[in-house]
Amino acid sequence: MIIHPKHTFTNSLPADSIVDNSRRQVTKACYSYVTPKKTSNPKLLHVSPEMLKKLGLSENDAKTKMFLNIFTGNTVLENTKPYSMCYGGHQFGHWAGQLGDGRAINLFEIEHDKQNWKLQLKGAGETPYSRTADGLAVLRSSIREYLCSEAMHHLGVPTTRALSLALSGDQVLRDVMYNGNPDYEKGAIVCRVSPSFLRFGSFEIFAARNDIKTLKTLVDYTINTHFKHLGKPNNQAYLSFFNDVAIRNLDMVIHWQRVGFTHGVMNTDNLSILGLTIDYGPYGWLEGYEPSWTPNTTDSQHKRYRFGAQPDIVHWNLYQLANALYPLIEEAEGLEAVLANFAIQKEAKYLQMMRSKIGLSTEEPKDANLIQELEDCLQLTETDMTIFFRNLADFDSSIPTNGLQIIRESFYEIKTVTEAVKNRWNLWFDSYADRLKRDPISAKAKKENMNSVNPKYVLRNYMAQLAIDDANKGDYKLIDELFNLLKQPYEEQPKHEKWFAKRPEWARHKVGCSMLSCSS
């Protein structure tokens, strides 16, 4: 196995002057050098063939001892210096100061096919940013991250990627629900892959400390590396950079709303400067269509990061990034214009996305009313989001009375579909049928279009939990089955039809299926 590592990040940005791995406040630096913790008995559980190819590696490479050791932190590749990144963040709406990579260690970069990739181990040990934690990860959370980041890519959602999933061979103590009942679990390590792991909080930390010099160095590096089309960094480029970040993150969050993904912990340190889904912690997928739902137990009271609020939270986070960039631009008007435009585009893009979900190819002024009434109907009784939109593609506008029969499978409790609920749905189907008749697209094209944006298969919470339960018993086959299923989420895949099903009742209140903590 031959790897030619690159180091554009560390070569371009200031390093922490202190080299010992002690927890501390790190100033005037974008990262600290850290050596991953050696593991006792590493075992590779799964590797992404697609990511191997993107990195210029082969499946035979992945079978080598060298691959295992590098991507579990047991071997530091020659001529590389692993590091963890410094950043701050607003957590649940409040400035939390320095955070940083508490359990993530960047190994090196690989350039292949004109693409630069950063490779990062999650769960590889303590860093200066670990605070009171151990820097490790458990198999449970690692399976969730590994499967979901790859599944999101195949759904067409901007995301960081995953190369490999491995057991460390060590036991890790975790209190799953923060209720004073810690227990030992299998330790694991995921190799994350991304063009960049920079977050909003990477910039906020320097503005908060009034370290404008390092802030400028980081912004200039980011523009020169990831936003080259903006030209040489200057005041106008800084403003254009902010606008690009806003557009990318709007695109990302609209995709989340399209597929029913709830991130769970949208702090500013968990939003990517490239508009990629990053940090798969207490995420979840909508089962019943419930805009107020959040999978994060830490947020169960106020539900700040609930599904329906996600576009607004991106907007709020952009305000914080604007504040961080202001010292470089020194005028608020341009930043405020970007934020105002985001508010307008947020509504327009959401409406455009929802039109596509119900098969409309043209725009009419009253489409917003039709979509609002649909969202209201979806909440009359528990209705599975994924099944509803997938089956809606079979609706025939010439027979609107068949609408309820087509979506029947999406109802969790058919007895809750009262006459009043049926009447409301029938009125909506009448309006929908009328609207479809005014749309020029053919029924066949409509169905194809709808099935290309409404997935049949997503990584439902209970599916991931089944894979976790098996893995904890030493059976890893379901990880591979789900990994391959989710590579084609829009295809029918008849042999996998069992996964096109509502959440089973046993999973309704099961930890890992409906409730997750930030350690998940």
Side-chain angles (χ1 to χ4, degrees):
M1 182 173 79
I2 300 173
I3 293 175
H4 300 290
K6 302 287 184 180
H7 311 282
T8 62
F9 186 86
T10 52
N11 287 346
S12 306
L13 297 167
D16 182 1
S17 59
I18 301 172
V19 294
D20 70 291
N21 190 359
S22 59
R23 292 166 175 80
R24 60 185 180 277
Q25 291 294 302
V26 174
T27 58
K28 294 182 168 54
C30 295
Y31 59 91
S32 304
Y33 289 117
V34 185
T35 301
K37 179 182 178 181
K38 289 187 182 296
T39 57
S40 63
N41 186 26
K43 177 183 178 182
L44 203 60
L45 298 184
H46 209 278
V47 179
S48 167
E50 182 183 346
M51 287 314 298
L52 281 172
K53 188 175 181 182
K54 284 186 178 294
L55 296 169
L57 299 173
S58 70
E59 294 193 35
N60 284 333
D61 288 333
K63 295 171 183 174
T64 64
K65 186 76 171 175
M66 183 180 177
F67 184 96
L68 173 66
N69 283 337
I70 288 174
F71 296 113
T72 56
N74 279 345
T75 296
V76 174
L77 190 64
E78 192 176 356
N79 299 319
T80 67
K81 293 179 72 175
Y83 63 94
S84 291
M85 295 165 67
C86 179
Y87 48 84
H90 280 82
Q91 298 195 321
F92 297 96
H94 303 283
W95 177 244
Q98 177 181 295
L99 298 167
D101 284 335
R103 57 174 173 173
I105 298 176
N106 298 268
L107 297 180
F108 45 76
E109 302 165 20
I110 290 180
E111 284 185 8
H112 184 66
D113 284 346
K114 299 180 180 178
Q115 172 68 62
N116 178 289
W117 298 98
K118 277 77 176 175
L119 285 81
Q120 179 187 89
L121 300 185
K122 180 180 178 181
E126 298 175 24
T127 79
Y129 312 100
S130 296
R131 290 170 283 169
T132 60
D134 57 17
L136 303 176
V138 294
L139 181 58
R140 164 175 47 89
S141 61
S142 301
I143 289 172
R144 285 170 48 80
E145 168 139 11
Y146 180 75
L147 287 176
C148 195
S149 54
E150 288 302 282
M152 290 282 273
H153 169 74
H154 293 293
L155 283 165
V157 183
T159 180
T160 57
R161 306 292 299 274
L163 170 65
S164 59
L165 168 68
L167 285 172
S168 66
D170 301 311
Q171 293 289 299
V172 178
L173 189 64
R174 284 290 180 270
D175 184 350
V176 182
M177 298 309 297
Y178 301 148
N179 60 5
N181 294 299
D183 201 0
Y184 282 98
E185 302 182 47
K186 291 181 179 181
I189 296 172
V190 170
C191 181
R192 298 163 155 177
V193 185
S194 178
S196 175
F197 290 101
L198 285 169
R199 303 117 188 287
F200 286 19
S202 304
F203 303 85
E204 286 183 281
I205 188 69
F206 299 116
R209 290 171 167 171
N210 201 30
D211 181 1
I212 309 307
K213 179 182 177 183
T214 310
L215 173 65
K216 183 179 187 305
T217 301
L218 180 60
V219 174
D220 288 358
Y221 159 82
T222 306
I223 290 172
N224 288 332
T225 306
H226 302 292
F227 297 81
K228 292 179 181 177
H229 60 282
L230 299 180
K232 185 179 178 182
N234 55 33
N235 273 28
Q236 184 54 50
Y238 296 148
L239 196 56
S240 299
F241 163 63
F242 180 60
N243 187 57
D244 272 25
V245 172
I247 291 169
R248 290 184 188 208
N249 276 276
L250 177 58
D251 177 59
M252 174 196 73
V253 77
I254 294 298
H255 277 297
W256 290 1
Q257 305 309 105
R258 174 176 64 83
V259 299
F261 176 80
T262 310
H263 185 280
V265 60
M266 293 175 66
N267 298 328
T268 58
D269 57 300
N270 292 337
L271 247 66
S272 157
I273 206 70
L274 298 185
L276 306 174
T277 312
I278 194 170
D279 286 352
Y280 289 90
Y283 70 81
W285 297 83
L286 284 195
E287 308 279 6
Y289 185 82
E290 186 182 345
S292 64
W293 181 74
T294 176
N296 188 353
T297 54
T298 313
D299 196 23
S300 59
Q301 183 179 358
H302 300 293
K303 298 188 176 183
R304 175 181 175 83
Y305 297 141
R306 63 194 180 275
F307 174 74
Q310 292 183 134
D312 293 331
I313 291 296
V314 170
H315 197 191
W316 191 92
N317 288 349
L318 283 164
Y319 269 92
Q320 312 320 309
L321 181 61
N323 287 333
L325 296 176
Y326 176 79
L328 300 183
I329 301 171
E330 294 186 316
E331 66 92 9
E333 187 178 354
L335 294 166
E336 289 169 351
V338 171
L339 292 165
N341 184 58
F342 182 95
I344 296 167
Q345 291 300 314
K346 179 184 63 174
E347 303 300 328
K349 296 285 187 184
Y350 181 80
L351 183 58
Q352 182 182 355
M353 177 274 291
M354 288 300 295
R355 280 195 186 98
S356 74
K357 284 184 75 67
I358 62 174
L360 301 180
S361 66
T362 56
E363 298 178 10
E364 288 190 6
K366 292 186 178 179
D367 287 347
N369 296 339
L370 180 71
I371 288 164
Q372 183 59 59
E373 179 60 18
L374 168 59
E375 293 182 343
D376 291 345
C377 285
L378 284 167
Q379 296 172 73
L380 293 173
T381 184
E382 192 175 17
T383 309
D384 192 274
M385 177 181 177
T386 302
I387 294 175
F388 171 84
F389 281 107
R390 186 69 181 192
N391 286 353
L392 187 64
D394 292 325
F395 179 72
D396 184 344
S397 60
S398 66
I399 323 172
T401 51
N402 281 4
L404 268 172
Q405 187 58 39
I406 285 165
I407 66 164
R408 179 186 173 91
E409 187 187 346
S410 64
F411 295 127
Y412 274 82
E413 289 283 349
I414 199 67
K415 64 185 178 185
T416 63
V417 184
T418 61
E419 286 304 310
V421 171
K422 289 178 183 176
N423 289 339
R424 186 95 173 261
W425 269 116
N426 283 328
L427 285 171
W428 184 81
F429 278 118
D430 286 342
S431 300
Y432 180 43
D434 287 343
R435 176 64 180 86
L436 286 175
K437 287 170 185 173
R438 296 194 298 276
D439 206 85
I441 200 167
S442 70
K444 182 174 181 289
K446 173 185 75 75
K447 181 171 181 174
E448 288 176 356
N449 288 348
M450 290 175 72
N451 283 347
S452 71
V453 296
N454 295 319
K456 181 170 181 177
Y457 303 104
V458 295
L459 184 63
R460 293 173 181 266
N461 314 319
Y462 83 89
M463 292 163 64
Q465 190 59 43
L466 286 173
I468 291 164
D469 291 345
D470 281 0
N472 282 328
K473 298 170 191 168
D475 182 352
Y476 309 109
K477 293 191 294 292
L478 191 50
I479 294 173
D480 186 63
E481 180 181 338
L482 294 178
F483 183 89
N484 287 303
L485 166 77
L486 297 166
K487 283 162 75 170
Q488 295 181 297
Y490 300 100
E491 301 304 316
E492 289 299 327
Q493 301 193 66
K495 67 178 181 179
H496 292 302
E497 194 74 21
K498 69 177 181 179
W499 298 118
F500 183 60
K502 297 187 287 286
R503 173 203 59 231
E505 193 56 33
W506 60 260
R508 180 179 291 274
H509 300 298
K510 181 178 170 66
V511 174
C513 297
S514 59
M515 303 172 292
L516 296 132
S517 68
C518 286
S519 70
S520 300

